[in-house]
């Protein structure tokens, strides 16, 4: 993870992720890279989301899918990695990405505070795919008191300590309610952000 100075454009700092996230054998061919490695991120399924906590102290990264050693693409237990901005120290937390009977790839993470995060989960169906959207949701996960899984490897090790999420906003249902057909919802919702606080009927909303 690189930090840049906005005024000069210069790269001023590098944060190194744990070695377990890297693959040993790189390849321009995704299938070859997957078959050539037993650990690390799945080809084209690396760090998909990055957030900063409101206090400005911690970066929070999210893999798109579980690491190869944790089940790989289609696996159930993804990793959230936190980076202390001052020291570069990292921690890892397991996240259960199974919703109902299916597992999903994660597309975005937003920090509500230093322990609660909104995660964007979706299928790949909808506009652009020639199909109809089925699942697009913002999920809330809380890692307060969660076990650091930096020294754990494999789905069976992560399962007992993985955090579940709860539904925060069903995006598909909300868009359908506004008259947008499921076939017109983009297949790949991949980014989310907080807007400015707004005062509605005298109440400040975030």
């Amino acid at each position: 993870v690189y930090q840049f100075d906005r005024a000069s454009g210069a790269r001023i700092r590098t944060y190194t992720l744990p070695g377990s996230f890297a693959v040993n054998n790189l390849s321009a061919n995704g299938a070859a890279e997957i078959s050539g490695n037993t650990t690390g991120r799945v080809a084209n399924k690396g760090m998909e989301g990055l957030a900063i906590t409101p206090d400005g102290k911690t970066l929070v990264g999210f893999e798109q899918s579980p690491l190869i050693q944790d089940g790989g693409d289609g696996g159930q237990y993804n990793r959230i990695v936190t980076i202390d901005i001052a020291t570069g120290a990292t921690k890892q937390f397991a996240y259960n990405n199974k919703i109902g009977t299916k597992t999903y790839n994660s597309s975005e993470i937003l920090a509500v505070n230093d322990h609660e995060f909104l995660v964007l989960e979706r299928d790949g169906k909808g506009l652009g795919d020639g199909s109809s959207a089925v699942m697009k949701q913002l999920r809330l996960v809380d890692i307060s008191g969660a076990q650091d899984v930096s020294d754990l490897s494999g789905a069976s090790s992560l399962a007992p300590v993985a955090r579940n999420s709860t539904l925060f906003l069903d995006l598909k249902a909300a868009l359908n309610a506004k008259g947008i057909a499921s076939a017109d919802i983009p297949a790949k919702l991949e980014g989310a952000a907080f807007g400015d606080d707004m005062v509605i009927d005298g109440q400040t909303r975030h």
Side-chain angles (χ1 to χ4, degrees):
V1 178
Y2 298 133
Q3 181 181 3
F4 290 85
D5 179 79
R6 183 164 58 182
S8 66
R11 188 170 71 189
I12 57 177
R13 187 167 183 180
T14 299
Y15 294 98
T16 303
L17 292 171
S20 59
F21 285 72
V23 293
N24 293 319
N25 302 303
L26 297 171
S27 173
N29 180 281
E33 186 173 279
I34 292 172
S35 64
N37 291 279
T38 57
T39 60
R41 54 108 183 102
V42 175
N44 198 35
K45 305 284 184 180
M47 193 68 69
E48 188 78 357
L50 184 65
I52 187 169
T53 54
D55 60 13
K57 295 180 179 180
T58 308
L59 291 171
V60 186
F62 206 30
E63 295 295 282
Q64 186 174 4
S65 75
L67 300 178
I68 297 171
Q69 62 268 33
D70 297 331
D73 193 22
Q76 186 172 344
Y77 303 107
N78 205 341
R79 290 179 186 250
I80 295 173
V81 57
T82 62
I83 305 170
D84 185 290
I85 291 176
T87 67
T90 63
K91 293 181 180 179
Q92 300 175 46
F93 303 94
Y95 168 83
N96 184 357
N97 64 14
K98 189 173 185 179
I99 302 170
T101 60
K102 294 190 64 176
T103 58
Y104 291 91
N105 286 330
S106 307
S107 292
E108 177 67 293
I109 188 167
L110 295 172
V112 179
N113 47 48
D114 65 356
H115 60 93
E116 291 181 301
F117 307 97
L118 291 175
V119 177
L120 177 57
E121 302 282 21
R122 60 165 180 79
D123 57 16
K125 304 298 183 182
L127 186 65
D129 181 61
S131 59
S132 294
V134 177
M135 207 288 285
K136 318 285 182 189
Q137 295 182 357
L138 277 172
R139 312 279 302 183
L140 181 68
V141 59
D142 187 343
I143 63 169
S144 58
Q147 180 177 330
D148 184 347
V149 298
S150 297
D151 295 328
L152 299 181
S153 180
S156 60
S157 297
L158 299 179
V161 295
R163 287 299 172 96
N164 297 319
S165 64
T166 56
L167 179 64
F168 178 81
L169 176 63
D170 188 325
L171 293 164
K172 176 184 175 294
L175 291 170
N176 287 160
K178 294 297 183 181
I180 300 174
S182 296
D184 293 326
I185 297 174
K188 290 191 174 183
L189 300 176
E190 296 201 336
F194 288 119
D196 292 334
D197 287 354
M198 299 176 63
V199 177
I200 302 174
D201 296 329
Q203 182 179 0
T204 301
R205 298 181 180 274
H206 182 56

